[in-house]
Amino acid sequence: TTNGDRAKPAVVFFDCDDCLYKNDWRVANMITEKIESFCSDRMSMKPGHAYELYKKWGTCLRGMQQEPSIYFDDDMLEEYLHHAHDIPLHEHIGPDPELVAMLERMDPTIPKYVFTASVKHHAERCLELLGVGHFFEDIIDVRAVDWVTKHDEEAYVAAMKIAKCDDPSACLFLDDSVSNVKTAKKVGWRTVLVGKHHRDCGSEIVCDEADHAIHRIHELPDVLGHLF
């Protein structure tokens, strides 16, 4: 453990989906299906094009905003966001007393934020179902960072401004996405990868940019015990 690792962070950023909760990507898969249906039915895209946009831009939404060949206005944006997140979360996320207990033990002087590529109302629903919303200062969503994705360094700079922190090395970031962890590390953040197996094939993830890797969020005290 390095001295930098031992230093108390000024702020902790938690990803929401597949990080604060895990359910074998059931919610992620439902959102993916909803995005695909919106793109094929409402936007008349060929099957699979939504995934191509995701691979190229980091999110399908960013691709629709950036690709000049796609007409995507503000009304369609709001329609898309509602459609993509109109899923029965209560069937797949429930109270997590273990997570509540962990967050209660965390140093209360360190502000905690949810930093999500999703939208605020979706993250709020997740936190409410988990029973942990009151632990967080705020939710930094894709709208708050001006629609850039967490594959883009600008998102992390924007999150720091919202959290009123100007020292990247004082930011601790927990996320299940290797690409997000890599970008956060480029910005200078401390990083914890949450989830050690690939979604598609189940093989173990290797991520040199992660200072620590844990299977689930509840293991955070095992690797950063001084925060508790």
Side-chain angles (χ1 to χ4, degrees):
T1 304
T2 65
N3 288 334
D5 205 29
R6 293 288 307 173
K8 189 166 89 169
V11 59
V12 183
F13 297 98
F14 292 79
D15 177 42
C16 179
D17 295 299
D18 303 305
C19 182
L20 283 176
Y21 69 87
K22 286 191 180 294
N23 53 23
D24 293 321
W25 297 284
R26 288 198 303 273
V27 169
N29 290 336
M30 282 191 293
I31 292 174
T32 298
E33 287 171 12
K34 296 281 283 188
I35 289 170
E36 176 65 33
S37 71
F38 182 90
C39 290
S40 58
D41 301 344
R42 180 74 173 83
M43 305 292 292
S44 303
M45 292 180 191
K46 67 175 192 266
H49 191 60
Y51 185 67
E52 290 171 23
L53 291 172
Y54 160 75
K55 296 295 280 184
K56 180 177 177 182
W57 292 99
T59 62
C60 176
L61 171 61
R62 193 63 178 159
M64 290 193 290
Q65 289 174 319
Q66 297 294 103
E67 294 266 342
S69 62
I70 298 173
Y71 178 74
F72 191 69
D73 63 15
D74 287 346
D75 288 341
M76 292 165 84
L77 167 66
E78 296 304 328
E79 185 184 342
Y80 168 84
L81 293 173
H82 175 77
H83 180 89
H85 297 95
D86 184 20
I87 53 177
L89 286 176
H90 62 280
E91 294 177 9
H92 303 280
I93 301 173
D96 186 345
E98 191 184 350
L99 179 61
V100 171
M102 186 197 85
L103 291 169
E104 279 176 344
R105 284 175 52 213
M106 259 187 112
D107 185 335
T109 67
I110 306 171
K112 295 175 279 295
Y113 288 81
V114 170
F115 181 24
T116 176
S118 184
V119 287
K120 193 167 192 171
H121 74 266
H122 170 78
E124 283 173 341
R125 288 171 66 205
C126 294
L127 298 181
E128 185 180 344
L129 289 164
L130 289 165
V132 298
H134 57 291
F135 290 108
F136 298 97
E137 303 287 323
D138 202 357
I139 295 165
I140 302 170
D141 73 344
V142 66
R143 205 187 291 264
V145 299
D146 201 23
W147 307 108
V148 294
T149 76
K150 286 199 280 184
H151 295 193
D152 190 325
E153 293 179 27
E154 286 179 40
Y156 301 82
V157 174
M160 286 176 64
K161 283 183 183 166
I162 292 168
K164 297 182 172 59
C165 178
D166 55 11
D167 178 6
S169 69
C171 297
L172 176 63
F173 179 57
L174 299 95
D175 202 297
D176 65 296
S177 161
V178 169
S179 58
N180 293 350
V181 166
K182 286 181 175 179
T183 310
K185 182 52 72 177
K186 274 189 198 167
V187 178
W189 288 16
R190 302 184 222 169
T191 53
V192 179
L193 180 69
V194 182
K196 296 168 77 168
H197 292 92
H198 284 285
R199 174 177 174 179
D200 298 324
C201 60
S203 62
E204 186 146 356
I205 294 169
V206 177
C207 179
D208 293 336
E209 291 81 4
D211 299 320
H212 302 280
I214 54 181
H215 287 288
R216 48 204 288 272
I217 195 79
H218 313 76
E219 296 170 4
L220 186 61
D222 297 341
V223 293
L224 292 174
H226 61 291
L227 302 184
F228 295 86

Coordinates of all heavy atoms in Angstrom, one line a residue, residues 23-102:
N23 N -26.7 -7.9 -10.2 CA -27.7 -8.9 -10.4 C -27.5 -9.6 -11.7 O -28.4 -9.8 -12.4 CB -29.1 -8.3 -10.2 CG -29.3 -7.1 -11.1 OD1 -28.7 -7.0 -12.2 ND2 -30.3 -6.3 -10.8
D24 N -26.2 -10.0 -12.0 CA -25.9 -10.6 -13.2 C -26.3 -9.8 -14.5 O -26.8 -10.4 -15.5 CB -26.5 -12.0 -13.3 CG -25.9 -13.0 -12.2 OD1 -24.7 -12.9 -12.0 OD2 -26.7 -13.8 -11.6
W25 N -26.2 -8.5 -14.3 CA -26.5 -7.6 -15.4 C -27.9 -7.6 -15.9 O -28.2 -7.3 -17.1 CB -25.5 -7.8 -16.6 CG -24.1 -7.6 -16.2 CD1 -23.5 -6.4 -16.0 CD2 -23.1 -8.5 -15.9 NE1 -22.2 -6.5 -15.6 CE2 -21.9 -7.8 -15.5 CE3 -23.1 -9.9 -15.9 CZ2 -20.7 -8.5 -15.2 CZ3 -21.9 -10.6 -15.5 CH2 -20.7 -9.8 -15.2
R26 N -28.9 -8.1 -15.1 CA -30.3 -8.1 -15.5 C -30.8 -6.7 -15.9 O -31.4 -6.6 -16.9 CB -31.1 -8.8 -14.5 CG -30.9 -10.3 -14.3 CD -32.1 -10.9 -13.6 NE -32.3 -10.4 -12.3 CZ -31.7 -10.8 -11.2 NH1 -30.8 -11.7 -11.2 NH2 -32.1 -10.3 -10.0
V27 N -30.5 -5.7 -15.1 CA -31.0 -4.4 -15.3 C -30.3 -3.8 -16.6 O -30.9 -3.3 -17.5 CB -30.7 -3.4 -14.1 CG1 -31.0 -2.0 -14.5 CG2 -31.7 -3.8 -13.0
A28 N -29.0 -4.1 -16.7 CA -28.2 -3.6 -17.8 C -28.8 -4.2 -19.1 O -28.9 -3.5 -20.1 CB -26.7 -3.9 -17.7
N29 N -29.1 -5.5 -19.1 CA -29.6 -6.1 -20.3 C -31.0 -5.6 -20.6 O -31.3 -5.4 -21.8 CB -29.7 -7.7 -20.0 CG -28.3 -8.3 -20.0 OD1 -27.4 -7.8 -20.5 ND2 -28.2 -9.4 -19.3
M30 N -31.8 -5.3 -19.6 CA -33.1 -4.7 -19.9 C -33.0 -3.3 -20.6 O -33.7 -3.0 -21.5 CB -34.0 -4.6 -18.7 CG -34.6 -5.9 -18.2 SD -35.8 -5.7 -16.9 CE -34.8 -5.1 -15.6
I31 N -32.1 -2.5 -20.0 CA -31.9 -1.2 -20.6 C -31.3 -1.3 -22.0 O -31.8 -0.6 -23.0 CB -30.9 -0.4 -19.7 CG1 -31.6 0.0 -18.4 CG2 -30.5 0.9 -20.5 CD1 -30.7 0.7 -17.4
T32 N -30.4 -2.3 -22.3 CA -29.9 -2.5 -23.6 C -31.0 -2.9 -24.6 O -31.1 -2.3 -25.7 CB -28.9 -3.6 -23.6 OG1 -27.8 -3.2 -22.7 CG2 -28.3 -3.9 -25.0
E33 N -31.9 -3.7 -24.1 CA -33.1 -4.1 -25.0 C -34.0 -2.9 -25.3 O -34.5 -2.7 -26.4 CB -33.9 -5.2 -24.3 CG -33.2 -6.6 -24.3 CD -33.9 -7.6 -23.5 OE1 -35.0 -7.3 -23.0 OE2 -33.3 -8.7 -23.2
K34 N -34.2 -2.1 -24.3 CA -35.0 -0.9 -24.5 C -34.4 0.1 -25.4 O -35.1 0.7 -26.3 CB -35.3 -0.2 -23.1 CG -36.1 -1.0 -22.1 CD -37.6 -1.0 -22.4 CE -38.2 0.3 -22.0 NZ -39.7 0.2 -22.1
I35 N -33.1 0.3 -25.3 CA -32.4 1.2 -26.3 C -32.5 0.6 -27.7 O -32.7 1.4 -28.6 CB -30.9 1.3 -25.8 CG1 -30.8 2.1 -24.5 CG2 -30.0 2.0 -26.9 CD1 -29.4 2.1 -23.9
E36 N -32.3 -0.7 -27.8 CA -32.3 -1.3 -29.2 C -33.7 -1.1 -29.8 O -33.9 -0.8 -30.9 CB -32.0 -2.8 -29.0 CG -32.1 -3.6 -30.3 CD -31.2 -3.2 -31.4 OE1 -30.0 -2.8 -31.1 OE2 -31.5 -3.3 -32.6
S37 N -34.8 -1.3 -28.9 CA -36.1 -1.2 -29.5 C -36.4 0.3 -29.9 O -37.1 0.5 -30.9 CB -37.2 -1.7 -28.4 OG -37.3 -0.8 -27.3
F38 N -35.9 1.2 -29.1 CA -36.1 2.7 -29.4 C -35.5 3.0 -30.8 O -36.0 3.6 -31.6 CB -35.6 3.6 -28.3 CG -35.8 5.0 -28.6 CD1 -37.0 5.7 -28.1 CD2 -34.9 5.8 -29.3 CE1 -37.2 7.0 -28.4 CE2 -35.1 7.2 -29.5 CZ -36.2 7.8 -29.1
C39 N -34.2 2.5 -30.9 CA -33.5 2.8 -32.1 C -34.0 2.2 -33.4 O -34.1 2.8 -34.4 CB -32.0 2.4 -31.9 SG -31.1 3.4 -30.7
S40 N -34.5 0.9 -33.2 CA -35.1 0.3 -34.4 C -36.5 0.8 -34.7 O -36.9 1.0 -35.8 CB -35.1 -1.2 -34.2 OG -35.8 -1.6 -33.0
D41 N -37.4 0.9 -33.6 CA -38.8 1.3 -33.9 C -38.9 2.8 -34.1 O -39.6 3.2 -35.0 CB -39.6 0.9 -32.7 CG -39.6 -0.6 -32.4 OD1 -39.1 -1.4 -33.3 OD2 -39.9 -1.1 -31.3
R42 N -38.3 3.6 -33.2 CA -38.6 5.0 -33.3 C -37.6 5.7 -34.2 O -38.0 6.7 -34.9 CB -38.4 5.6 -31.9 CG -38.6 7.1 -31.8 CD -40.0 7.5 -31.9 NE -40.2 8.9 -31.6 CZ -40.1 9.9 -32.5 NH1 -39.7 9.6 -33.7 NH2 -40.3 11.2 -32.2
M43 N -36.4 5.3 -34.3 CA -35.3 5.9 -35.1 C -35.1 5.2 -36.5 O -34.3 5.6 -37.3 CB -34.0 6.0 -34.4 CG -34.1 6.6 -33.0 SD -34.4 8.4 -33.1 CE -32.9 9.0 -33.8
S44 N -35.8 4.1 -36.7 CA -35.7 3.3 -37.9 C -34.2 2.9 -38.2 O -33.8 2.8 -39.4 CB -36.3 4.1 -39.1 OG -37.6 4.4 -38.8
M45 N -33.5 2.6 -37.2 CA -32.1 2.1 -37.4 C -32.1 0.6 -37.7 O -33.0 -0.1 -37.3 CB -31.2 2.3 -36.2 CG -31.0 3.8 -35.9 SD -29.9 3.9 -34.4 CE -30.0 5.7 -34.1
K46 N -31.1 0.1 -38.4 CA -31.0 -1.3 -38.6 C -30.7 -2.0 -37.3 O -30.1 -1.5 -36.4 CB -29.9 -1.6 -39.7 CG -28.5 -1.3 -39.3 CD -27.5 -1.7 -40.4 CE -26.1 -1.7 -39.9 NZ -25.4 -0.5 -40.2
P47 N -31.1 -3.3 -37.2 CA -30.8 -4.0 -36.0 C -29.3 -4.0 -35.7 O -28.5 -4.2 -36.6 CB -31.3 -5.5 -36.3 CG -32.3 -5.3 -37.3 CD -31.9 -4.1 -38.1
G48 N -29.0 -3.8 -34.4 CA -27.6 -3.8 -34.0 C -26.9 -2.5 -34.1 O -25.8 -2.3 -33.6
H49 N -27.5 -1.5 -34.8 CA -26.8 -0.2 -34.9 C -26.7 0.5 -33.6 O -25.7 1.2 -33.4 CB -27.6 0.7 -35.9 CG -26.8 1.9 -36.4 ND1 -25.6 1.8 -37.0 CD2 -27.0 3.2 -36.2 CE1 -25.1 3.0 -37.2 NE2 -26.0 3.9 -36.8
A50 N -27.6 0.3 -32.7 CA -27.5 1.0 -31.4 C -26.2 0.5 -30.7 O -25.5 1.3 -30.1 CB -28.7 0.6 -30.5
Y51 N -25.9 -0.8 -30.8 CA -24.7 -1.3 -30.2 C -23.4 -0.8 -30.9 O -22.4 -0.5 -30.2 CB -24.7 -2.9 -30.2 CG -23.6 -3.5 -29.5 CD1 -23.5 -3.4 -28.1 CD2 -22.6 -4.2 -30.2 CE1 -22.4 -4.0 -27.4 CE2 -21.5 -4.8 -29.5 CZ -21.5 -4.7 -28.1 OH -20.4 -5.3 -27.4
E52 N -23.5 -0.6 -32.2 CA -22.4 0.0 -32.9 C -22.1 1.4 -32.4 O -20.9 1.8 -32.2 CB -22.6 0.0 -34.4 CG -22.6 -1.4 -35.1 CD -23.1 -1.4 -36.5 OE1 -23.0 -0.3 -37.1 OE2 -23.6 -2.4 -37.0
L53 N -23.2 2.2 -32.2 CA -23.0 3.5 -31.6 C -22.4 3.5 -30.3 O -21.5 4.3 -29.9 CB -24.4 4.2 -31.6 CG -25.0 4.6 -33.0 CD1 -26.4 5.1 -32.7 CD2 -24.1 5.7 -33.7
Y54 N -22.8 2.5 -29.4 CA -22.3 2.4 -28.1 C -20.8 2.1 -28.1 O -20.0 2.7 -27.4 CB -23.0 1.3 -27.4 CG -22.3 0.7 -26.2 CD1 -22.2 1.4 -25.0 CD2 -21.7 -0.6 -26.3 CE1 -21.5 0.8 -23.9 CE2 -21.0 -1.1 -25.2 CZ -20.9 -0.4 -24.0 OH -20.2 -0.9 -23.0
K55 N -20.4 1.2 -29.0 CA -19.0 0.8 -29.1 C -18.1 2.0 -29.6 O -17.0 2.2 -29.1 CB -18.8 -0.4 -30.1 CG -19.5 -1.6 -29.7 CD -18.9 -2.2 -28.4 CE -17.6 -3.0 -28.7 NZ -17.1 -3.6 -27.4
K56 N -18.7 2.8 -30.5 CA -17.9 3.9 -31.0 C -17.9 5.1 -30.1 O -16.8 5.8 -30.0 CB -18.5 4.3 -32.4 CG -17.8 5.5 -33.1 CD -18.4 5.9 -34.4 CE -17.7 7.1 -35.0 NZ -18.4 7.4 -36.3
W57 N -19.0 5.4 -29.4 CA -19.1 6.7 -28.7 C -19.1 6.5 -27.2 O -19.1 7.5 -26.5 CB -20.4 7.4 -29.1 CG -20.3 7.9 -30.5 CD1 -20.9 7.3 -31.6 CD2 -19.7 9.1 -31.0 NE1 -20.6 8.0 -32.8 CE2 -19.9 9.1 -32.4 CE3 -19.0 10.1 -30.4 CZ2 -19.4 10.2 -33.2 CZ3 -18.5 11.2 -31.2 CH2 -18.7 11.2 -32.6
G58 N -19.2 5.3 -26.7 CA -19.3 5.1 -25.2 C -20.7 4.9 -24.7 O -20.9 4.2 -23.8
T59 N -21.7 5.6 -25.3 CA -23.1 5.3 -25.1 C -23.8 5.5 -26.4 O -23.3 6.3 -27.3 CB -23.7 6.2 -24.1 OG1 -23.7 7.6 -24.5 CG2 -23.1 6.1 -22.7
C60 N -24.9 4.8 -26.6 CA -25.7 5.0 -27.8 C -26.2 6.4 -27.9 O -26.3 7.1 -28.9 CB -26.9 4.0 -27.8 SG -28.0 4.2 -29.1
L61 N -26.6 7.0 -26.7 CA -27.1 8.4 -26.6 C -26.1 9.3 -27.2 O -26.4 10.2 -28.0 CB -27.4 8.7 -25.2 CG -27.7 10.2 -24.9 CD1 -29.0 10.6 -25.7 CD2 -27.9 10.4 -23.4
R62 N -24.8 9.2 -26.8 CA -23.8 10.1 -27.3 C -23.7 10.0 -28.8 O -23.5 11.0 -29.5 CB -22.5 9.9 -26.6 CG -21.4 11.0 -26.8 CD -21.9 12.3 -26.2 NE -20.9 13.3 -26.4 CZ -21.2 14.6 -26.3 NH1 -22.4 15.0 -26.1 NH2 -20.2 15.5 -26.4
G63 N -23.7 8.8 -29.3 CA -23.6 8.5 -30.7 C -24.8 9.2 -31.5 O -24.5 9.9 -32.5
M64 N -26.0 9.1 -30.9 CA -27.1 9.8 -31.6 C -27.0 11.3 -31.6 O -27.4 12.0 -32.5 CB -28.4 9.3 -31.0 CG -28.8 7.9 -31.3 SD -30.5 7.4 -30.9 CE -30.5 7.5 -29.1
Q65 N -26.4 11.8 -30.5 CA -26.2 13.3 -30.5 C -25.1 13.7 -31.4 O -25.1 14.9 -31.9 CB -25.8 13.7 -29.0 CG -27.0 13.6 -28.0 CD -26.5 13.8 -26.6 OE1 -25.5 13.4 -26.2 NE2 -27.3 14.6 -25.9
Q66 N -24.1 12.9 -31.6 CA -22.9 13.3 -32.3 C -22.9 13.0 -33.8 O -22.2 13.7 -34.6 CB -21.6 12.7 -31.7 CG -21.4 13.2 -30.2 CD -21.1 14.7 -30.1 OE1 -21.9 15.5 -29.8 NE2 -19.9 15.1 -30.5
E67 N -23.5 11.9 -34.2 CA -23.5 11.5 -35.6 C -24.3 12.4 -36.5 O -25.5 12.6 -36.2 CB -24.0 10.0 -35.7 CG -23.2 9.0 -35.1 CD -22.2 8.3 -36.0 OE1 -22.4 8.4 -37.2 OE2 -21.2 7.7 -35.5
P68 N -23.7 13.1 -37.4 CA -24.4 14.1 -38.2 C -25.5 13.5 -39.0 O -26.5 14.2 -39.4 CB -23.3 14.7 -39.1 CG -22.2 13.7 -39.1 CD -22.3 13.0 -37.8
S69 N -25.5 12.2 -39.3 CA -26.5 11.6 -40.2 C -27.8 11.3 -39.4 O -28.8 10.9 -40.0 CB -26.0 10.3 -40.8 OG -25.6 9.4 -39.8
I70 N -27.8 11.4 -38.0 CA -28.9 11.1 -37.2 C -29.6 12.4 -36.7 O -29.0 13.2 -36.1 CB -28.5 10.2 -36.0 CG1 -27.8 8.9 -36.4 CG2 -29.7 10.0 -35.1 CD1 -27.2 8.1 -35.3
Y71 N -30.9 12.5 -37.0 CA -31.7 13.6 -36.5 C -32.2 13.3 -35.1 O -32.9 12.3 -35.0 CB -32.8 13.9 -37.5 CG -33.7 15.1 -36.9 CD1 -33.2 16.4 -37.0 CD2 -34.9 14.8 -36.3 CE1 -34.0 17.4 -36.5 CE2 -35.7 15.9 -35.8 CZ -35.2 17.2 -35.9 OH -35.9 18.2 -35.4
F72 N -31.8 14.0 -34.1 CA -32.1 13.7 -32.8 C -32.2 15.0 -32.0 O -31.3 15.6 -31.6 CB -30.9 12.9 -32.2 CG -31.2 12.2 -30.9 CD1 -32.2 11.2 -30.7 CD2 -30.6 12.6 -29.7 CE1 -32.5 10.6 -29.5 CE2 -30.8 12.0 -28.5 CZ -31.8 11.0 -28.4
D73 N -33.5 15.5 -31.8 CA -33.7 16.8 -31.2 C -34.0 16.6 -29.7 O -34.0 15.5 -29.1 CB -34.8 17.6 -31.9 CG -36.2 16.9 -31.8 OD1 -36.3 16.0 -31.0 OD2 -37.1 17.3 -32.6
D74 N -34.3 17.7 -29.0 CA -34.4 17.7 -27.5 C -35.7 16.9 -27.1 O -35.6 16.2 -26.1 CB -34.6 19.1 -27.0 CG -33.2 19.9 -27.0 OD1 -32.2 19.2 -27.2 OD2 -33.2 21.1 -26.8
D75 N -36.7 16.9 -27.9 CA -37.9 16.2 -27.6 C -37.6 14.7 -27.7 O -38.1 13.9 -26.9 CB -39.1 16.5 -28.6 CG -39.7 17.9 -28.3 OD1 -39.4 18.4 -27.1 OD2 -40.3 18.5 -29.1
M76 N -36.9 14.3 -28.7 CA -36.5 12.9 -28.9 C -35.6 12.4 -27.8 O -35.6 11.3 -27.3 CB -35.9 12.7 -30.3 CG -36.9 12.9 -31.4 SD -36.1 13.0 -33.0 CE -35.8 11.3 -33.5
L77 N -34.7 13.4 -27.4 CA -33.8 13.0 -26.2 C -34.6 12.7 -25.0 O -34.4 11.6 -24.4 CB -32.9 14.3 -26.0 CG -32.2 14.3 -24.6 CD1 -31.1 13.1 -24.6 CD2 -31.5 15.6 -24.4
E78 N -35.6 13.5 -24.6 CA -36.4 13.2 -23.4 C -37.2 11.9 -23.6 O -37.4 11.1 -22.7 CB -37.3 14.4 -23.1 CG -36.6 15.7 -22.8 CD -35.6 15.5 -21.6 OE1 -35.8 14.7 -20.7 OE2 -34.5 16.2 -21.6
E79 N -37.7 11.7 -24.8 CA -38.5 10.5 -25.1 C -37.6 9.3 -25.0 O -38.0 8.2 -24.4 CB -39.1 10.5 -26.5 CG -40.0 9.4 -26.9 CD -40.4 9.5 -28.4 OE1 -40.3 10.5 -29.0 OE2 -40.8 8.4 -28.9
Y80 N -36.4 9.4 -25.5 CA -35.4 8.3 -25.4 C -35.1 7.9 -23.9 O -35.0 6.8 -23.5 CB -34.1 8.7 -26.2 CG -32.9 7.7 -25.9 CD1 -32.8 6.6 -26.6 CD2 -32.0 8.1 -24.9 CE1 -31.7 5.7 -26.3 CE2 -30.9 7.3 -24.7 CZ -30.8 6.1 -25.4 OH -29.7 5.3 -25.1
L81 N -34.8 9.0 -23.1 CA -34.4 8.8 -21.8 C -35.5 8.1 -21.0 O -35.2 7.2 -20.1 CB -34.0 10.1 -21.1 CG -32.7 10.7 -21.7 CD1 -32.5 12.1 -21.1 CD2 -31.5 9.8 -21.4
H82 N -36.7 8.5 -21.2 CA -37.9 7.9 -20.5 C -38.0 6.4 -21.0 O -38.2 5.5 -20.1 CB -39.2 8.7 -20.8 CG -40.4 8.0 -20.3 ND1 -40.7 8.1 -18.9 CD2 -41.3 7.2 -20.8 CE1 -41.8 7.4 -18.7 NE2 -42.2 6.9 -19.9
H83 N -38.0 6.2 -22.3 CA -38.2 4.9 -22.8 C -37.1 3.9 -22.3 O -37.4 2.8 -21.8 CB -38.1 4.9 -24.3 CG -38.3 3.6 -25.0 ND1 -39.6 3.1 -25.3 CD2 -37.4 2.6 -25.4 CE1 -39.4 1.9 -25.8 NE2 -38.2 1.6 -25.9
A84 N -35.8 4.3 -22.3 CA -34.7 3.4 -22.0 C -34.8 3.0 -20.5 O -34.3 1.9 -20.2 CB -33.4 4.1 -22.3
H85 N -35.3 3.9 -19.7 CA -35.2 3.6 -18.2 C -36.6 3.2 -17.6 O -36.7 3.1 -16.4 CB -34.7 4.8 -17.5 CG -33.3 5.1 -17.9 ND1 -32.9 6.0 -18.8 CD2 -32.1 4.6 -17.5 CE1 -31.6 6.1 -19.0 NE2 -31.1 5.2 -18.2
D86 N -37.6 3.0 -18.5 CA -38.9 2.6 -18.1 C -38.9 1.1 -17.9 O -39.4 0.3 -18.7 CB -39.9 3.0 -19.1 CG -41.4 2.7 -18.7 OD1 -41.6 2.5 -17.4 OD2 -42.3 2.6 -19.5
I87 N -38.3 0.6 -16.8 CA -38.1 -0.8 -16.5 C -38.5 -1.1 -15.1 O -38.5 -0.2 -14.2 CB -36.7 -1.3 -16.8 CG1 -35.7 -0.4 -16.0 CG2 -36.4 -1.3 -18.3 CD1 -34.3 -0.9 -16.2
P88 N -38.9 -2.3 -14.8 CA -39.4 -2.7 -13.4 C -38.2 -2.9 -12.5 O -37.9 -4.1 -12.1 CB -40.2 -3.9 -13.6 CG -39.6 -4.6 -14.8 CD -39.1 -3.5 -15.7
L89 N -37.5 -1.9 -12.1 CA -36.4 -2.0 -11.2 C -36.7 -2.8 -9.9 O -35.8 -3.5 -9.4 CB -35.8 -0.6 -10.9 CG -35.0 0.1 -12.0 CD1 -34.6 1.5 -11.5 CD2 -33.8 -0.7 -12.4
H90 N -37.9 -2.6 -9.4 CA -38.2 -3.2 -8.1 C -38.2 -4.7 -8.2 O -38.2 -5.3 -7.1 CB -39.6 -2.7 -7.6 CG -40.7 -3.0 -8.6 ND1 -41.0 -2.3 -9.8 CD2 -41.6 -4.0 -8.6 CE1 -42.0 -2.9 -10.4 NE2 -42.4 -3.9 -9.7
E91 N -38.3 -5.2 -9.4 CA -38.3 -6.7 -9.5 C -36.8 -7.2 -9.4 O -36.6 -8.5 -9.3 CB -38.9 -7.1 -10.8 CG -40.4 -6.8 -10.9 CD -41.0 -7.2 -12.2 OE1 -40.3 -7.8 -13.1 OE2 -42.2 -6.9 -12.5
H92 N -35.9 -6.3 -9.5 CA -34.5 -6.8 -9.7 C -33.5 -6.2 -8.7 O -32.4 -6.6 -8.6 CB -34.0 -6.5 -11.1 CG -34.8 -7.1 -12.2 ND1 -34.7 -8.4 -12.5 CD2 -35.9 -6.6 -12.9 CE1 -35.6 -8.7 -13.4 NE2 -36.3 -7.6 -13.7
I93 N -33.9 -5.1 -7.9 CA -33.1 -4.5 -6.9 C -33.9 -4.4 -5.7 O -35.1 -4.0 -5.7 CB -32.7 -3.1 -7.4 CG1 -31.9 -3.1 -8.7 CG2 -31.8 -2.4 -6.3 CD1 -31.6 -1.8 -9.3
G94 N -33.3 -4.8 -4.5 CA -34.0 -4.7 -3.2 C -33.1 -4.2 -2.1 O -31.9 -3.9 -2.4
P95 N -33.6 -4.0 -0.9 CA -32.8 -3.5 0.2 C -31.6 -4.3 0.4 O -31.6 -5.5 0.3 CB -33.8 -3.7 1.4 CG -35.2 -3.7 0.8 CD -35.0 -4.4 -0.5
D96 N -30.5 -3.6 0.7 CA -29.2 -4.2 0.9 C -28.6 -3.8 2.3 O -27.9 -2.8 2.4 CB -28.2 -3.9 -0.2 CG -26.9 -4.6 -0.1 OD1 -26.6 -5.2 0.9 OD2 -26.2 -4.6 -1.1
P97 N -29.0 -4.5 3.3 CA -28.6 -4.1 4.7 C -27.0 -4.1 4.8 O -26.5 -3.4 5.6 CB -29.2 -5.2 5.6 CG -30.3 -5.8 4.8 CD -29.9 -5.7 3.4
E98 N -26.4 -5.0 4.1 CA -24.9 -5.1 4.1 C -24.3 -3.9 3.6 O -23.3 -3.3 4.1 CB -24.4 -6.4 3.4 CG -23.0 -6.7 3.6 CD -22.5 -7.9 2.7 OE1 -23.3 -8.6 2.1 OE2 -21.3 -8.1 2.7
L99 N -24.8 -3.3 2.5 CA -24.4 -2.1 1.9 C -24.6 -0.9 2.8 O -23.8 0.0 3.0 CB -25.0 -1.9 0.5 CG -24.6 -0.6 -0.2 CD1 -23.1 -0.6 -0.5 CD2 -25.4 -0.5 -1.5
V100 N -25.8 -0.9 3.4 CA -26.2 0.2 4.4 C -25.1 0.2 5.5 O -24.6 1.2 5.9 CB -27.6 0.0 4.9 CG1 -27.9 0.9 6.1 CG2 -28.6 0.2 3.8
A101 N -24.9 -1.0 6.0 CA -23.9 -1.1 7.2 C -22.5 -0.6 6.7 O -21.8 0.1 7.5 CB -23.9 -2.5 7.7
M102 N -22.1 -1.0 5.5 CA -20.8 -0.5 5.1 C -20.7 1.0 4.9 O -19.7 1.6 5.4 CB -20.4 -1.2 3.7 CG -19.0 -0.9 3.2 SD -18.8 -1.2 1.5 CE -19.4 0.4 0.8

